[in-house]
Amino acid sequence: ARLIAIIRNYHVSMFSRASYLTHTLPVSSVKLFLAKMAGSAFWTVLTVCVMYVSVVILGVSSRVLSLEQLFGAAREWDLSWFVPAALYMFVSLIGFIAVCYFVMNLVHTPLVRAHRNGIAVILFLFLAIARGWIDGKIFVSSGESYAAISARSAFASFTGYSQPAWMVIGWEFFWAVLFSAAGIWLLKHQLEVE
């Protein structure tokens, strides 16, 4: 549901009749694009936090989980993986939003005149598959099992990648910057409003 809200909000504010107001604001394309990304990231992170809190409240209220169990187990957790994992998830979220916005900007250029929604879905799936293939070639050692990878560190267990956290996060950051820059360029130079 959050993905649909991200796509719909960006589409309405950037490409529909209401976008006339957006594009007449005295704001650069870079600031406009980054503000849209920041807003989407904020609402997505807030949604995830509310979801986790709701699950805990539901577990406690249905007596499946007690607060003593929850806080008792929390004292035993090894949280050394948490900061890199949270940073990885956040940078991945930014990259995901950047890909969505890039695809939406691309299908609203003179290159695509008809069937924009279908082409956007196909292009998004193609980019996701290509990105997964590239990630697999770079980060997953051939013949190495997930158990062997996850034995290296909690972060490796979380991501399934055998490389250090800084390398995986840097790779995600590279993709986020690449698709953001491409989306901004399209927004500046090629955009067609409906």
Side-chain angles (χ1 to χ4, degrees):
R2 187 72 218 138
L3 172 63
I4 293 170
I6 288 171
I7 292 170
R8 184 172 174 356
N9 181 31
Y10 189 76
H11 183 271
V12 167
S13 67
M14 298 298 284
F15 308 119
S16 70
R17 289 183 182 181
S19 68
Y20 176 76
L21 182 61
T22 302
H23 292 291
T24 57
L25 293 172
V27 177
S28 70
S29 299
V30 173
K31 288 180 182 175
L32 186 61
F33 189 87
L34 294 177
K36 295 286 182 190
M37 284 187 62
S40 293
F42 171 78
W43 286 111
T44 303
V45 168
L46 185 65
T47 300
V48 169
C49 291
V50 167
M51 182 184 69
Y52 281 131
V53 169
S54 300
V55 167
V56 169
I57 290 171
L58 185 64
V60 169
S61 67
S62 65
R63 306 213 189 281
V64 172
L65 179 69
S66 70
L67 289 176
E68 293 80 26
Q69 289 174 320
L70 180 67
F71 291 119
R75 280 187 228 119
E76 299 171 14
W77 292 341
D78 174 24
L79 295 179
S80 62
W81 62 274
F82 181 76
V83 171
L87 185 59
Y88 169 77
M89 289 189 326
F90 184 74
V91 172
S92 296
L93 170 67
I94 296 298
F96 175 78
I97 293 169
V99 170
C100 288
Y101 288 178
F102 165 74
V103 168
M104 285 192 282
N105 287 349
L106 185 62
V107 298
H108 284 87
T109 63
L111 298 172
V112 181
R113 296 280 184 198
H115 310 294
R116 287 181 167 162
N117 292 340
I119 292 171
V121 169
I122 291 168
L123 183 60
F124 180 82
L125 291 175
F126 172 77
L127 289 173
I129 291 168
R131 169 86 199 285
W133 182 81
I134 293 169
D135 288 357
K137 292 293 182 186
I138 293 175
F139 290 112
V140 179
S141 303
S142 61
E144 194 169 22
S145 69
Y146 177 75
I149 292 172
S150 62
R152 291 195 182 120
S153 70
F155 182 77
S157 177
F158 177 75
T159 62
Y161 296 145
S162 56
Q163 278 67 26
W166 66 268
M167 187 180 291
V168 177
I169 293 168
W171 183 249
E172 289 294 327
F173 184 75
F174 164 75
W175 284 108
V177 169
L178 178 73
F179 282 108
S180 295
I184 290 168
W185 185 85
L186 287 171
L187 191 60
K188 280 183 176 179
H189 301 290
Q190 298 291 324
L191 192 66
E192 277 188 350
V193 178
E194 295 172 0

